[in-house]
Amino acid sequence: MSKSRISPFWRQCFVSATVCFTTIGHGAVVGFPAILLPQLKEPGSYLTLTEEAGSWIASVMAITLLLGSFMAPPIMGRLGRKIAHFVVILHILVGWLVIILAKSIEVMIIGRIIHGMSFGLMLPLRSVLIGEYTSPKNRGAFLTTISVTQAFGILLVHLIGSCVSWQKTILILVSFPLASLLMTFYTPETPSWYADKGRYEQCRQVFRWLRGDEEEAELEAMINARAFKSDKTNIANCRDVVTLMKKKEFYKPIVIMVHSYLMGEFSGGALMSCYSTTVITLMAGPEVDAHFWMVALDVQRNISNIIAVYVVKKVKRRTMMLSTGSLCILSSIAIAGYVYAKNTGMLTYTASWIPILLINVQFFTVAVGMVCLPYVIAGEIFPLEYRSLGGSISIVSIACGYFLVTKTFPSLEGAIGLHGAYTVYAAAMSYNLFVIWALLPETKDRTLQEIEEHFRGKPLRAEDIEVSQSLKNNKENVEKAIS
């Protein structure tokens, strides 16, 4: 990489911004049903929308999200993180094109299916990209921008869609993936991928371009570990899946991330992205301007996400997860209690500010902890050897949680009421938080190699490092001789 006056920090900002522009596009995809469905139900709409079709538009993404997440590892591993990012962006653009040209609900659902593929591909990729690009001291803040930009995308689609038609909204929103497409041409492949492929010289060049010359210890530790693991893999590549599943550094991060992601889905983020106007109306009454409060809550969520970027640099991961998780559970129980007391006549004072306050408290916990922290942790706890596979397996929980919440909420609310639905969500979050409390280690300010060694239970032995150093030197000598 050529010398430049631009500091490593600003280079990390640029490559992270490339990921963030794509994430804004996905935030818009997630929040799109909240403005699309009400417009399709209007009398002048040229498409006839049933309640069942509406729930499929909101939830079908989760099915192909799962498929996309399992397509990500082979693309990320064999072709590289950069190529995988191009694939993600192209899927977003094609999905918007299909939706805006749709002449039937079925075609519109196909567009949502394509968007689900894109979102699924991006979910494991974005944490990997930022985690591998950035320094440990700033990694938490950079990873938090994932939730900030996704929330901004949701706010943007809700704000624009409240003012103009859904077709014009798409034409505005498509500018973000287009900008990301252009920026991706100027981003390098990650140093971790080069190390994993044994291309150590390119790994060093990109690493120093991104980080400068002050983190050489992490660079050499990463290369030594990869050289050692490459040799071990060649010897033991016939081990079965059961052997792999017994490795602590493989299964523990997956268990943690499955429960962290489920915690985020049941916390209210997915529900309010698709059904915000419905929930606000049920809680505060039809006299409240649901569209205004939808946008206001999105603004509050974005402000809270920005606060989280600062907080995550100061506060330990476990402390943030456990405190915001507990508050989120309490706020869900409070919402359920308020709605139940209101509907049964137990509560005589039912001013609209009470439910609005409760939703704002819940949204604060969602923005500061429940949605942003899983992405921060995902960028830190997976070993490089299993990062793509482990990330994709854990993302199954996002697809399942998102589908369950968005597909079943209308029927769940009809069967047991809004208070019953929030009680179910609070119970699910309580279980997930208990597992996180039991298994999650502290990852703040630790290098990726240190975290990997924590899960393995022991660091690489000195003789292993010597062997890996010899293998690495031999490989580099061969490469130089060939060139």
Side-chain angles (χ1 to χ4, degrees):
M1 309 296 288
S2 60
K3 295 287 183 180
S4 173
R5 294 181 181 179
I6 302 173
S7 70
F9 173 77
W10 288 110
R11 294 191 190 113
Q12 292 174 44
C13 287
F14 175 78
V15 293
S16 298
T18 305
V19 179
C20 289
F21 272 103
T22 306
T23 306
I24 291 173
H26 282 134
V29 165
V30 171
F32 189 59
I35 62 103
L36 174 68
L37 299 182
Q39 291 188 31
L40 291 180
K41 291 178 182 178
E42 292 176 355
S45 174
Y46 69 91
L47 294 174
T48 302
L49 182 71
T50 63
E51 195 71 34
E52 181 68 15
S55 68
W56 277 111
I57 288 175
S59 64
V60 73
M61 268 182 53
I63 299 173
T64 48
L65 182 154
L66 189 59
L67 178 61
S69 69
F70 280 100
M71 288 174 59
I75 299 174
M76 291 166 60
R78 295 176 187 176
L79 303 179
R81 287 42 163 155
K82 184 174 179 176
I83 296 297
H85 198 184
F86 278 124
V87 174
V88 167
I89 298 168
L90 291 175
H91 274 77
I92 298 180
L93 297 173
V94 172
W96 283 130
L97 181 64
V98 170
I99 290 173
I100 202 169
L101 296 178
K103 300 298 181 183
S104 67
I105 294 294
E106 290 75 16
V107 174
M108 193 167 285
I109 290 175
I110 291 173
R112 295 285 293 172
I113 287 172
I114 297 171
H115 275 162
M117 291 284 292
S118 175
F119 201 8
L121 285 162
M122 190 60 176
L123 280 174
L125 176 63
R126 58 192 186 181
S127 293
V128 170
L129 277 170
I130 294 180
E132 294 181 358
Y133 278 139
T134 57
S135 302
K137 60 183 178 181
N138 296 316
R139 188 194 306 126
F142 278 119
L143 285 166
T144 309
T145 61
I146 292 174
S147 59
V148 172
T149 49
Q150 183 166 314
F152 178 73
I154 295 171
L155 165 63
L156 204 60
V157 71
H158 287 173
L159 180 61
I160 298 171
S162 298
C163 302
V164 300
S165 68
W166 61 265
Q167 293 96 333
K168 292 179 180 178
T169 301
I170 291 175
L171 294 176
I172 296 171
L173 295 173
V174 79
S175 60
F176 289 95
L178 285 174
S180 182
L181 181 67
L182 179 63
M183 293 171 70
T184 304
F185 281 104
Y186 297 96
T187 60
E189 184 54 77
T190 69
S192 297
W193 185 82
Y194 281 132
D196 196 44
K197 295 301 178 183
R199 296 160 67 173
Y200 303 124
E201 190 56 38
Q202 289 169 293
C203 170
R204 288 192 177 94
Q205 289 176 358
V206 174
F207 188 95
R208 288 163 182 160
W209 184 82
L210 287 166
R211 310 279 194 91
D213 301 322
E214 298 178 359
E215 300 180 18
E216 291 292 307
E218 181 184 350
L219 171 61
E220 294 306 320
M222 176 177 63
I223 291 176
N224 287 335
R226 288 320 111 200
F228 171 69
K229 285 189 174 294
S230 295
D231 183 56
K232 294 269 288 186
T233 302
N234 290 334
I235 295 171
N237 58 7
C238 293
R239 290 184 178 179
D240 56 19
V241 175
V242 175
T243 303
L244 177 63
M245 294 298 293
K246 289 180 179 179
K247 291 185 176 182
K248 294 179 181 179
E249 66 268 32
F250 178 74
Y251 73 80
K252 278 192 174 182
I254 291 176
V255 172
I256 292 169
M257 289 315 307
V258 163
H259 290 83
S260 298
Y261 284 140
L262 282 175
M263 187 87 182
E265 295 305 316
F266 286 109
S267 66
L271 176 66
M272 295 300 285
S273 296
C274 295
Y275 298 107
S276 50
T277 54
T278 302
V279 172
I280 291 168
T281 302
L282 288 171
M283 286 186 64
E287 67 277 4
V288 172
D289 188 342
H291 283 279
F292 168 80
W293 282 110
M294 174 181 68
V295 175
L297 286 169
D298 288 335
V299 172
Q300 188 259 68
R301 181 174 178 174
N302 276 264
I303 293 172
S304 299
N305 275 145
I306 294 170
I307 293 172
V309 175
Y310 174 80
V311 174
V312 81
K313 291 190 67 174
K314 302 294 182 181
V315 182
K316 293 181 178 180
R317 309 286 190 257
R318 277 181 60 88
T319 303
M320 280 189 68
M321 178 62 82
L322 296 177
S323 58
T324 56
S326 299
L327 184 57
C328 189
I329 293 169
L330 290 175
S331 65
S332 294
I333 294 172
I335 289 171
Y338 170 82
V339 174
Y340 178 78
K342 177 184 175 182
N343 292 344
T344 56
M346 295 171 59
L347 186 65
T348 56
Y349 182 73
T350 58
S352 59
W353 66 267
I354 299 176
I356 296 299
L357 176 63
L358 291 175
I359 295 176
N360 270 279
V361 171
Q362 185 187 47
F363 252 50
F364 176 79
T365 64
V366 168
V368 174
M370 296 299 90
V371 172
C372 71
L373 271 179
Y375 298 126
V376 173
I377 296 168
E380 296 178 329
I381 68 171
F382 286 113
L384 177 59
E385 187 177 5
Y386 312 118
R387 193 163 294 162
S388 298
L389 179 61
S392 294
I393 292 174
S394 62
I395 282 169
V396 171
S397 59
I398 293 184
C400 294
Y402 185 86
F403 182 80
L404 280 173
V405 171
T406 56
K407 185 71 177 73
T408 64
F409 173 73
S411 57
L412 189 65
E413 190 276 327
I416 59 176
L418 186 65
H419 62 279
Y422 268 87
T423 301
V424 170
Y425 300 152
M429 284 191 289
S430 298
Y431 159 73
N432 287 302
L433 189 63
F434 175 78
V435 175
I436 293 167
W437 169 80
L439 297 179
L440 179 66
E442 185 52 60
T443 60
K444 185 177 183 295
D445 296 330
R446 299 175 70 180
T447 68
L448 300 180
Q449 191 61 39
E450 289 172 342
I451 297 167
E452 179 177 341
E453 289 171 356
H454 167 85
F455 283 114
R456 191 187 305 116
K458 58 182 180 179
L460 292 176
R461 296 172 300 173
E463 54 266 35
D464 293 334
I465 294 176
E466 289 178 6
V467 170
S468 69
Q469 183 68 38
S470 176
L471 290 169
K472 177 188 65 175
N473 291 337
N474 290 338
K475 186 165 187 176
E476 289 178 344
N477 290 335
V478 171
E479 289 175 348
K480 289 178 180 177
I482 293 173
S483 60

